PDB file of all heavy atoms in Angstrom:
ATOM      1  N   GLY G 293       4.786  -2.401 -23.547  1.00 98.00           N
ATOM      2  CA  GLY G 293       4.138  -1.240 -24.071  1.00 98.00           C
ATOM      3  C   GLY G 293       5.142  -0.364 -24.918  1.00 98.00           C
ATOM      4  O   GLY G 293       6.341  -0.752 -25.160  1.00 98.00           O
ATOM      5  N   PHE G 294       4.643   0.829 -25.347  1.00 98.00           N
ATOM      6  CA  PHE G 294       5.394   1.651 -26.313  1.00 98.00           C
ATOM      7  C   PHE G 294       6.631   2.229 -25.614  1.00 98.00           C
ATOM      8  O   PHE G 294       6.602   2.433 -24.414  1.00 98.00           O
ATOM      9  CB  PHE G 294       4.518   2.661 -26.883  1.00 98.00           C
ATOM     10  CG  PHE G 294       4.849   3.177 -28.206  1.00 98.00           C
ATOM     11  CD1 PHE G 294       4.820   2.455 -29.403  1.00 98.00           C
ATOM     12  CD2 PHE G 294       5.598   4.398 -28.323  1.00 98.00           C
ATOM     13  CE1 PHE G 294       5.323   2.909 -30.704  1.00 98.00           C
ATOM     14  CE2 PHE G 294       6.041   4.787 -29.490  1.00 98.00           C
ATOM     15  CZ  PHE G 294       5.898   4.128 -30.636  1.00 98.00           C
ATOM     16  N   MET G 295       7.513   2.601 -26.518  1.00 96.00           N
ATOM     17  CA  MET G 295       8.644   3.506 -25.874  1.00 96.00           C
ATOM     18  C   MET G 295       8.066   4.706 -25.174  1.00 96.00           C
ATOM     19  O   MET G 295       7.154   5.311 -25.777  1.00 96.00           O
ATOM     20  CB  MET G 295       9.617   4.061 -27.015  1.00 96.00           C
ATOM     21  CG  MET G 295      10.329   2.881 -27.812  1.00 96.00           C
ATOM     22  SD  MET G 295      11.164   3.677 -29.342  1.00 96.00           S
ATOM     23  CE  MET G 295       9.738   3.173 -30.329  1.00 96.00           C
ATOM     24  N   GLY G 296       8.608   4.948 -23.984  1.00 95.00           N
ATOM     25  CA  GLY G 296       8.022   6.159 -23.119  1.00 95.00           C
ATOM     26  C   GLY G 296       6.728   5.903 -22.487  1.00 95.00           C
ATOM     27  O   GLY G 296       6.109   6.771 -21.993  1.00 95.00           O
ATOM     28  N   ALA G 297       6.237   4.720 -22.523  1.00 96.00           N
ATOM     29  CA  ALA G 297       5.013   4.460 -21.678  1.00 96.00           C
ATOM     30  C   ALA G 297       5.292   4.440 -20.249  1.00 96.00           C
ATOM     31  O   ALA G 297       4.233   4.467 -19.546  1.00 96.00           O
ATOM     32  CB  ALA G 297       4.427   3.106 -22.188  1.00 96.00           C
ATOM     33  N   LYS G 299       7.547   2.005 -18.673  1.00 97.00           N
ATOM     34  CA  LYS G 299       7.847   0.664 -18.244  1.00 97.00           C
ATOM     35  C   LYS G 299       9.027   0.701 -17.316  1.00 97.00           C
ATOM     36  O   LYS G 299       8.934  -0.056 -16.218  1.00 97.00           O
ATOM     37  CB  LYS G 299       8.208  -0.288 -19.477  1.00 97.00           C
ATOM     38  CG  LYS G 299       7.125  -0.510 -20.430  1.00 97.00           C
ATOM     39  CD  LYS G 299       7.571  -1.131 -21.724  1.00 97.00           C
ATOM     40  CE  LYS G 299       8.749  -0.406 -22.425  1.00 97.00           C
ATOM     41  NZ  LYS G 299       8.538  -0.085 -23.783  1.00 97.00           N
ATOM     42  N   THR G 300      10.121   1.360 -17.384  1.00 96.00           N
ATOM     43  CA  THR G 300      11.262   1.335 -16.524  1.00 96.00           C
ATOM     44  C   THR G 300      10.771   2.088 -15.249  1.00 96.00           C
ATOM     45  O   THR G 300      11.129   1.679 -14.094  1.00 96.00           O
ATOM     46  CB  THR G 300      12.440   2.003 -17.259  1.00 96.00           C
ATOM     47  OG1 THR G 300      12.672   1.316 -18.358  1.00 96.00           O
ATOM     48  CG2 THR G 300      13.586   1.878 -16.289  1.00 96.00           C
ATOM     49  N   ASP G 316      15.618  -5.498 -17.120  1.00 96.00           N
ATOM     50  CA  ASP G 316      15.339  -4.635 -18.243  1.00 96.00           C
ATOM     51  C   ASP G 316      15.892  -5.388 -19.520  1.00 96.00           C
ATOM     52  O   ASP G 316      17.266  -5.381 -19.438  1.00 96.00           O
ATOM     53  CB  ASP G 316      15.734  -3.214 -17.987  1.00 96.00           C
ATOM     54  CG  ASP G 316      15.473  -2.282 -19.055  1.00 96.00           C
ATOM     55  OD1 ASP G 316      15.891  -2.613 -20.194  1.00 96.00           O
ATOM     56  OD2 ASP G 316      14.796  -1.354 -18.749  1.00 96.00           O
ATOM     57  N   THR G 317      15.085  -5.612 -20.384  1.00 97.00           N
ATOM     58  CA  THR G 317      15.857  -6.463 -21.508  1.00 97.00           C
ATOM     59  C   THR G 317      16.807  -5.579 -22.364  1.00 97.00           C
ATOM     60  O   THR G 317      17.957  -6.136 -22.682  1.00 97.00           O
ATOM     61  CB  THR G 317      14.633  -6.929 -22.628  1.00 97.00           C
ATOM     62  OG1 THR G 317      13.866  -5.781 -23.051  1.00 97.00           O
ATOM     63  CG2 THR G 317      13.660  -7.849 -22.008  1.00 97.00           C
ATOM     64  N   ASP G 318      16.664  -4.289 -22.379  1.00 97.00           N
ATOM     65  CA  ASP G 318      17.539  -3.560 -23.175  1.00 97.00           C
ATOM     66  C   ASP G 318      18.810  -3.444 -22.392  1.00 97.00           C
ATOM     67  O   ASP G 318      19.988  -3.632 -22.923  1.00 97.00           O
ATOM     68  CB  ASP G 318      16.993  -2.060 -23.337  1.00 97.00           C
ATOM     69  CG  ASP G 318      16.021  -1.909 -24.379  1.00 97.00           C
ATOM     70  OD1 ASP G 318      15.944  -2.627 -25.231  1.00 97.00           O
ATOM     71  OD2 ASP G 318      15.521  -0.891 -24.439  1.00 97.00           O
ATOM     72  N   ILE G 321      20.701  -6.887 -22.649  1.00 98.00           N
ATOM     73  CA  ILE G 321      21.276  -7.048 -23.935  1.00 98.00           C
ATOM     74  C   ILE G 321      22.604  -6.042 -24.105  1.00 98.00           C
ATOM     75  O   ILE G 321      23.631  -6.564 -24.475  1.00 98.00           O
ATOM     76  CB  ILE G 321      20.290  -6.501 -25.120  1.00 98.00           C
ATOM     77  CG1 ILE G 321      19.258  -7.607 -25.204  1.00 98.00           C
ATOM     78  CG2 ILE G 321      21.073  -6.259 -26.457  1.00 98.00           C
ATOM     79  CD1 ILE G 321      18.067  -7.139 -26.138  1.00 98.00           C
ATOM     80  N   VAL G 329      22.223  -0.143 -27.237  1.00 97.00           N
ATOM     81  CA  VAL G 329      21.191  -0.386 -28.050  1.00 97.00           C
ATOM     82  C   VAL G 329      21.383   0.350 -29.526  1.00 97.00           C
ATOM     83  O   VAL G 329      21.338  -0.243 -30.529  1.00 97.00           O
ATOM     84  CB  VAL G 329      19.813  -0.172 -27.590  1.00 97.00           C
ATOM     85  CG1 VAL G 329      18.679  -0.407 -28.575  1.00 97.00           C
ATOM     86  CG2 VAL G 329      19.440  -1.162 -26.413  1.00 97.00           C
ATOM     87  N   SER G 330      21.600   1.686 -29.287  1.00 96.00           N
ATOM     88  CA  SER G 330      21.767   2.455 -30.519  1.00 96.00           C
ATOM     89  C   SER G 330      22.940   1.908 -31.451  1.00 96.00           C
ATOM     90  O   SER G 330      22.822   1.914 -32.664  1.00 96.00           O
ATOM     91  CB  SER G 330      22.090   3.883 -30.252  1.00 96.00           C
ATOM     92  OG  SER G 330      21.037   4.550 -29.678  1.00 96.00           O
ATOM     93  N   PHE G 333      21.996  -1.223 -33.182  1.00 97.00           N
ATOM     94  CA  PHE G 333      21.137  -1.054 -34.405  1.00 97.00           C
ATOM     95  C   PHE G 333      22.108  -0.457 -35.509  1.00 97.00           C
ATOM     96  O   PHE G 333      21.883  -0.801 -36.723  1.00 97.00           O
ATOM     97  CB  PHE G 333      20.102   0.116 -34.003  1.00 97.00           C
ATOM     98  CG  PHE G 333      18.731  -0.333 -33.617  1.00 97.00           C
ATOM     99  CD1 PHE G 333      18.529  -0.950 -32.407  1.00 97.00           C
ATOM    100  CD2 PHE G 333      17.755  -0.266 -34.511  1.00 97.00           C
ATOM    101  CE1 PHE G 333      17.315  -1.338 -32.091  1.00 97.00           C
ATOM    102  CE2 PHE G 333      16.374  -0.647 -34.230  1.00 97.00           C
ATOM    103  CZ  PHE G 333      16.272  -1.235 -33.059  1.00 97.00           C
ATOM    104  N   GLU G 338      18.615  -3.766 -37.183  1.00 96.00           N
ATOM    105  CA  GLU G 338      17.458  -3.993 -36.200  1.00 96.00           C
ATOM    106  C   GLU G 338      17.352  -5.593 -36.155  1.00 96.00           C
ATOM    107  O   GLU G 338      16.943  -6.012 -34.980  1.00 96.00           O
ATOM    108  CB  GLU G 338      16.200  -3.329 -36.805  1.00 96.00           C
ATOM    109  CG  GLU G 338      14.962  -3.588 -35.899  1.00 96.00           C
ATOM    110  CD  GLU G 338      13.721  -2.774 -36.357  1.00 96.00           C
ATOM    111  OE1 GLU G 338      13.841  -2.028 -36.982  1.00 96.00           O
ATOM    112  OE2 GLU G 338      12.648  -3.216 -35.596  1.00 96.00           O
ATOM    113  N   PHE G 341      19.349  -7.083 -33.490  1.00 97.00           N
ATOM    114  CA  PHE G 341      18.842  -6.539 -32.227  1.00 97.00           C
ATOM    115  C   PHE G 341      17.584  -7.476 -31.728  1.00 97.00           C
ATOM    116  O   PHE G 341      17.522  -7.926 -30.634  1.00 97.00           O
ATOM    117  CB  PHE G 341      18.479  -5.085 -32.178  1.00 97.00           C
ATOM    118  CG  PHE G 341      17.874  -4.703 -30.910  1.00 97.00           C
ATOM    119  CD1 PHE G 341      18.653  -4.487 -29.732  1.00 97.00           C
ATOM    120  CD2 PHE G 341      16.441  -4.471 -30.832  1.00 97.00           C
ATOM    121  CE1 PHE G 341      18.105  -4.147 -28.502  1.00 97.00           C
ATOM    122  CE2 PHE G 341      15.889  -3.971 -29.616  1.00 97.00           C
ATOM    123  CZ  PHE G 341      16.783  -3.888 -28.383  1.00 97.00           C
ATOM    124  N   ARG G 342      16.757  -7.704 -32.678  1.00 97.00           N
ATOM    125  CA  ARG G 342      15.578  -8.474 -32.442  1.00 97.00           C
ATOM    126  C   ARG G 342      15.856  -9.948 -32.057  1.00 97.00           C
ATOM    127  O   ARG G 342      15.365 -10.487 -31.241  1.00 97.00           O
ATOM    128  CB  ARG G 342      14.510  -8.513 -33.561  1.00 97.00           C
ATOM    129  CG  ARG G 342      14.102  -7.198 -33.978  1.00 97.00           C
ATOM    130  CD  ARG G 342      13.291  -6.529 -32.889  1.00 97.00           C
ATOM    131  NE  ARG G 342      12.839  -5.057 -33.348  1.00 97.00           N
ATOM    132  CZ  ARG G 342      12.600  -4.239 -32.318  1.00 97.00           C
ATOM    133  NH1 ARG G 342      12.719  -4.425 -31.013  1.00 97.00           N
ATOM    134  NH2 ARG G 342      12.259  -2.985 -32.729  1.00 97.00           N
ATOM    135  N   GLU G 345      17.114  -9.976 -28.506  1.00 97.00           N
ATOM    136  CA  GLU G 345      15.863  -9.800 -27.662  1.00 97.00           C
ATOM    137  C   GLU G 345      15.284 -11.124 -27.453  1.00 97.00           C
ATOM    138  O   GLU G 345      15.079 -11.598 -26.151  1.00 97.00           O
ATOM    139  CB  GLU G 345      14.795  -8.896 -28.296  1.00 97.00           C
ATOM    140  CG  GLU G 345      15.074  -7.486 -28.212  1.00 97.00           C
ATOM    141  CD  GLU G 345      13.924  -6.614 -28.695  1.00 97.00           C
ATOM    142  OE1 GLU G 345      13.238  -6.918 -29.646  1.00 97.00           O
ATOM    143  OE2 GLU G 345      13.603  -5.558 -28.016  1.00 97.00           O
ATOM    144  N   SER G 362      11.087  -5.215 -17.376  1.00 97.00           N
ATOM    145  CA  SER G 362      10.714  -4.193 -18.316  1.00 97.00           C
ATOM    146  C   SER G 362      11.243  -4.570 -19.700  1.00 97.00           C
ATOM    147  O   SER G 362      12.320  -4.883 -19.804  1.00 97.00           O
ATOM    148  CB  SER G 362      11.278  -2.840 -17.847  1.00 97.00           C
ATOM    149  OG  SER G 362      11.222  -1.875 -18.795  1.00 97.00           O
ATOM    150  N   VAL G 363      10.321  -4.596 -20.672  1.00 97.00           N
ATOM    151  CA  VAL G 363      10.499  -5.188 -21.949  1.00 97.00           C
ATOM    152  C   VAL G 363      10.632  -4.126 -23.087  1.00 97.00           C
ATOM    153  O   VAL G 363       9.784  -3.329 -23.048  1.00 97.00           O
ATOM    154  CB  VAL G 363       9.468  -6.099 -22.275  1.00 97.00           C
ATOM    155  CG1 VAL G 363       9.455  -6.592 -23.623  1.00 97.00           C
ATOM    156  CG2 VAL G 363       9.418  -7.324 -21.385  1.00 97.00           C
ATOM    157  N   GLY G 364      11.651  -4.171 -23.968  1.00 97.00           N
ATOM    158  CA  GLY G 364      11.863  -3.153 -24.981  1.00 97.00           C
ATOM    159  C   GLY G 364      10.516  -3.156 -25.809  1.00 97.00           C
ATOM    160  O   GLY G 364       9.836  -4.121 -26.047  1.00 97.00           O
ATOM    161  N   GLY G 365      10.150  -1.919 -26.357  1.00 97.00           N
ATOM    162  CA  GLY G 365       8.903  -1.773 -27.016  1.00 97.00           C
ATOM    163  C   GLY G 365       8.559  -2.656 -28.131  1.00 97.00           C
ATOM    164  O   GLY G 365       7.400  -2.789 -28.491  1.00 97.00           O
ATOM    165  N   GLY G 366       9.553  -2.991 -28.775  1.00 97.00           N
ATOM    166  CA  GLY G 366       9.343  -3.855 -30.049  1.00 97.00           C
ATOM    167  C   GLY G 366       9.492  -5.367 -29.787  1.00 97.00           C
ATOM    168  O   GLY G 366       9.171  -6.151 -30.717  1.00 97.00           O
ATOM    169  N   LEU G 367       9.762  -5.826 -28.613  1.00 98.00           N
ATOM    170  CA  LEU G 367       9.942  -7.231 -28.350  1.00 98.00           C
ATOM    171  C   LEU G 367       8.828  -7.988 -28.588  1.00 98.00           C
ATOM    172  O   LEU G 367       8.827  -9.068 -29.200  1.00 98.00           O
ATOM    173  CB  LEU G 367      10.621  -7.359 -27.020  1.00 98.00           C
ATOM    174  CG  LEU G 367      11.120  -8.653 -26.581  1.00 98.00           C
ATOM    175  CD1 LEU G 367      12.270  -8.622 -25.679  1.00 98.00           C
ATOM    176  CD2 LEU G 367      10.073  -9.614 -25.817  1.00 98.00           C
ATOM    177  N   PRO G 368       7.610  -7.524 -28.216  1.00 98.00           N
ATOM    178  CA  PRO G 368       6.411  -8.471 -28.318  1.00 98.00           C
ATOM    179  C   PRO G 368       5.925  -8.488 -29.803  1.00 98.00           C
ATOM    180  O   PRO G 368       4.988  -9.215 -30.067  1.00 98.00           O
ATOM    181  CB  PRO G 368       5.344  -7.668 -27.562  1.00 98.00           C
ATOM    182  CG  PRO G 368       6.110  -6.741 -26.631  1.00 98.00           C
ATOM    183  CD  PRO G 368       7.201  -6.365 -27.369  1.00 98.00           C
ATOM    184  N   LEU G 369       6.668  -7.863 -30.789  1.00 97.00           N
ATOM    185  CA  LEU G 369       6.336  -7.963 -32.125  1.00 97.00           C
ATOM    186  C   LEU G 369       6.522  -9.275 -32.742  1.00 97.00           C
ATOM    187  O   LEU G 369       5.879  -9.668 -33.722  1.00 97.00           O
ATOM    188  CB  LEU G 369       6.853  -6.879 -32.958  1.00 97.00           C
ATOM    189  CG  LEU G 369       6.593  -5.513 -32.556  1.00 97.00           C
ATOM    190  CD1 LEU G 369       7.369  -4.499 -33.387  1.00 97.00           C
ATOM    191  CD2 LEU G 369       5.050  -5.196 -32.613  1.00 97.00           C
ATOM    192  N   LEU G 397       9.188  11.546 -24.158  1.00 92.00           N
ATOM    193  CA  LEU G 397      10.500  11.306 -24.984  1.00 92.00           C
ATOM    194  C   LEU G 397      11.198  12.522 -25.490  1.00 92.00           C
ATOM    195  O   LEU G 397      12.034  12.432 -26.333  1.00 92.00           O
ATOM    196  CB  LEU G 397      10.181  10.302 -26.083  1.00 92.00           C
ATOM    197  CG  LEU G 397       9.736   8.963 -25.596  1.00 92.00           C
ATOM    198  CD1 LEU G 397       9.553   7.849 -26.882  1.00 92.00           C
ATOM    199  CD2 LEU G 397      10.798   8.274 -24.722  1.00 92.00           C
ATOM    200  N   ASP G 400      14.909  12.923 -26.238  1.00 89.00           N
ATOM    201  CA  ASP G 400      15.636  11.680 -26.096  1.00 89.00           C
ATOM    202  C   ASP G 400      16.330  11.365 -27.422  1.00 89.00           C
ATOM    203  O   ASP G 400      15.893  11.714 -28.478  1.00 89.00           O
ATOM    204  CB  ASP G 400      14.558  10.564 -25.953  1.00 89.00           C
ATOM    205  CG  ASP G 400      15.091   9.184 -25.811  1.00 89.00           C
ATOM    206  OD1 ASP G 400      15.491   8.766 -24.657  1.00 89.00           O
ATOM    207  OD2 ASP G 400      15.163   8.420 -26.891  1.00 89.00           O
ATOM    208  N   THR G 402      18.155   8.315 -27.457  1.00 91.00           N
ATOM    209  CA  THR G 402      18.614   6.912 -27.310  1.00 91.00           C
ATOM    210  C   THR G 402      17.675   5.924 -28.054  1.00 91.00           C
ATOM    211  O   THR G 402      18.044   4.663 -28.093  1.00 91.00           O
ATOM    212  CB  THR G 402      18.555   6.405 -25.980  1.00 91.00           C
ATOM    213  OG1 THR G 402      17.206   6.535 -25.394  1.00 91.00           O
ATOM    214  CG2 THR G 402      19.432   7.465 -24.859  1.00 91.00           C
ATOM    215  N   ARG G 403      16.573   6.305 -28.663  1.00 93.00           N
ATOM    216  CA  ARG G 403      15.786   5.456 -29.431  1.00 93.00           C
ATOM    217  C   ARG G 403      15.914   5.476 -30.889  1.00 93.00           C
ATOM    218  O   ARG G 403      15.354   6.500 -31.601  1.00 93.00           O
ATOM    219  CB  ARG G 403      14.284   5.737 -29.165  1.00 93.00           C
ATOM    220  CG  ARG G 403      13.596   5.085 -27.946  1.00 93.00           C
ATOM    221  CD  ARG G 403      14.039   5.528 -26.642  1.00 93.00           C
ATOM    222  NE  ARG G 403      13.294   4.824 -25.544  1.00 93.00           N
ATOM    223  CZ  ARG G 403      13.260   5.476 -24.408  1.00 93.00           C
ATOM    224  NH1 ARG G 403      13.964   6.564 -24.038  1.00 93.00           N
ATOM    225  NH2 ARG G 403      12.507   4.856 -23.374  1.00 93.00           N
ATOM    226  N   PRO G 404      16.682   4.640 -31.518  1.00 91.00           N
ATOM    227  CA  PRO G 404      16.958   4.740 -32.955  1.00 91.00           C
ATOM    228  C   PRO G 404      15.674   4.815 -33.849  1.00 91.00           C
ATOM    229  O   PRO G 404      15.811   5.427 -34.914  1.00 91.00           O
ATOM    230  CB  PRO G 404      17.739   3.431 -33.296  1.00 91.00           C
ATOM    231  CG  PRO G 404      17.855   2.522 -32.025  1.00 91.00           C
ATOM    232  CD  PRO G 404      17.225   3.410 -30.816  1.00 91.00           C
ATOM    233  N   LEU G 405      14.729   4.169 -33.420  1.00 93.00           N
ATOM    234  CA  LEU G 405      13.486   4.192 -34.338  1.00 93.00           C
ATOM    235  C   LEU G 405      12.653   5.448 -34.269  1.00 93.00           C
ATOM    236  O   LEU G 405      11.965   5.759 -35.232  1.00 93.00           O
ATOM    237  CB  LEU G 405      12.440   3.002 -33.771  1.00 93.00           C
ATOM    238  CG  LEU G 405      12.916   1.574 -33.942  1.00 93.00           C
ATOM    239  CD1 LEU G 405      11.854   0.705 -33.495  1.00 93.00           C
ATOM    240  CD2 LEU G 405      13.213   1.376 -35.412  1.00 93.00           C
ATOM    241  N   LEU G 406      13.014   6.375 -33.344  1.00 90.00           N
ATOM    242  CA  LEU G 406      12.428   7.664 -33.383  1.00 90.00           C
ATOM    243  C   LEU G 406      13.336   8.871 -33.806  1.00 90.00           C
ATOM    244  O   LEU G 406      13.031   9.943 -33.616  1.00 90.00           O
ATOM    245  CB  LEU G 406      11.909   8.021 -31.974  1.00 90.00           C
ATOM    246  CG  LEU G 406      10.788   6.984 -31.472  1.00 90.00           C
ATOM    247  CD1 LEU G 406      10.370   7.374 -30.091  1.00 90.00           C
ATOM    248  CD2 LEU G 406       9.757   6.776 -32.327  1.00 90.00           C
ATOM    249  N   LEU G 418       3.486   3.855 -35.603  1.00 96.00           N
ATOM    250  CA  LEU G 418       3.858   2.548 -34.955  1.00 96.00           C
ATOM    251  C   LEU G 418       2.998   2.159 -33.968  1.00 96.00           C
ATOM    252  O   LEU G 418       2.626   0.984 -33.727  1.00 96.00           O
ATOM    253  CB  LEU G 418       5.295   2.900 -34.348  1.00 96.00           C
ATOM    254  CG  LEU G 418       6.532   2.907 -35.122  1.00 96.00           C
ATOM    255  CD1 LEU G 418       7.765   3.287 -34.271  1.00 96.00           C
ATOM    256  CD2 LEU G 418       6.835   1.525 -35.720  1.00 96.00           C
ATOM    257  N   ARG G 422       1.097  -1.398 -33.386  1.00 98.00           N
ATOM    258  CA  ARG G 422       1.569  -2.131 -32.200  1.00 98.00           C
ATOM    259  C   ARG G 422       0.521  -2.358 -31.139  1.00 98.00           C
ATOM    260  O   ARG G 422       0.545  -3.261 -30.325  1.00 98.00           O
ATOM    261  CB  ARG G 422       2.849  -1.493 -31.546  1.00 98.00           C
ATOM    262  CG  ARG G 422       3.952  -1.594 -32.539  1.00 98.00           C
ATOM    263  CD  ARG G 422       5.085  -1.008 -31.697  1.00 98.00           C
ATOM    264  NE  ARG G 422       6.506  -1.108 -32.378  1.00 98.00           N
ATOM    265  CZ  ARG G 422       7.691  -0.827 -31.880  1.00 98.00           C
ATOM    266  NH1 ARG G 422       7.692  -0.382 -30.669  1.00 98.00           N
ATOM    267  NH2 ARG G 422       8.673  -1.035 -32.749  1.00 98.00           N
ATOM    268  N   TYR G 426       0.141  -5.456 -28.583  1.00 98.00           N
ATOM    269  CA  TYR G 426       0.282  -5.398 -27.073  1.00 98.00           C
ATOM    270  C   TYR G 426      -0.821  -5.964 -26.263  1.00 98.00           C
ATOM    271  O   TYR G 426      -0.805  -6.638 -25.421  1.00 98.00           O
ATOM    272  CB  TYR G 426       0.670  -4.050 -26.601  1.00 98.00           C
ATOM    273  CG  TYR G 426       1.890  -3.400 -27.128  1.00 98.00           C
ATOM    274  CD1 TYR G 426       1.843  -2.030 -27.437  1.00 98.00           C
ATOM    275  CD2 TYR G 426       3.066  -4.119 -27.200  1.00 98.00           C
ATOM    276  CE1 TYR G 426       3.085  -1.337 -27.931  1.00 98.00           C
ATOM    277  CE2 TYR G 426       4.291  -3.486 -27.690  1.00 98.00           C
ATOM    278  CZ  TYR G 426       4.263  -2.082 -28.029  1.00 98.00           C
ATOM    279  OH  TYR G 426       5.357  -1.536 -28.453  1.00 98.00           O
TER     280      TYR G 426
HETATM  281  C1  S3P K 746      12.380  -0.221 -29.282  1.00 94.38           C
HETATM  282  C2  S3P K 746      12.351   0.150 -27.910  1.00 94.38           C
HETATM  283  C3  S3P K 746      13.362   0.538 -27.064  1.00 94.38           C
HETATM  284  C4  S3P K 746      14.644  -0.280 -27.498  1.00 94.38           C
HETATM  285  C5  S3P K 746      14.922  -0.156 -28.949  1.00 94.38           C
HETATM  286  C6  S3P K 746      13.738  -0.489 -29.884  1.00 94.38           C
HETATM  287  C7  S3P K 746      11.207  -0.467 -30.057  1.00 94.38           C
HETATM  288  O1  S3P K 746      13.005   0.107 -25.689  1.00 94.38           O
HETATM  289  O2  S3P K 746      14.356  -1.591 -27.251  1.00 94.38           O
HETATM  290  O3  S3P K 746      15.201   1.242 -29.205  1.00 94.38           O
HETATM  291  O4  S3P K 746      11.227  -1.078 -31.167  1.00 94.38           O
HETATM  292  O5  S3P K 746      10.071   0.011 -29.605  1.00 94.38           O
HETATM  293  P1  S3P K 746      11.971   0.950 -24.817  1.00 94.38           P
HETATM  294  O6  S3P K 746      10.571   0.548 -25.089  1.00 94.38           O
HETATM  295  O7  S3P K 746      12.362   0.740 -23.337  1.00 94.38           O
HETATM  296  O8  S3P K 746      12.171   2.590 -25.096  1.00 94.38           O
END
Side-chain angles (χ1 to χ4, degrees):
F294 204 77
M295 294 168 266
K299 296 169 300 231
T300 307
D316 179 303
T317 57
D318 285 345
I321 290 170
V329 169
S330 292
F333 265 74
E338 182 174 349
F341 176 71
R342 300 299 174 200
E345 285 189 316
S362 166
V363 167
L367 190 144
L369 297 178
L397 295 181
D400 178 87
T402 65
R403 268 82 170 192
L405 292 181
L406 299 182
L418 279 175
R422 292 179 174 193
Y426 295 143

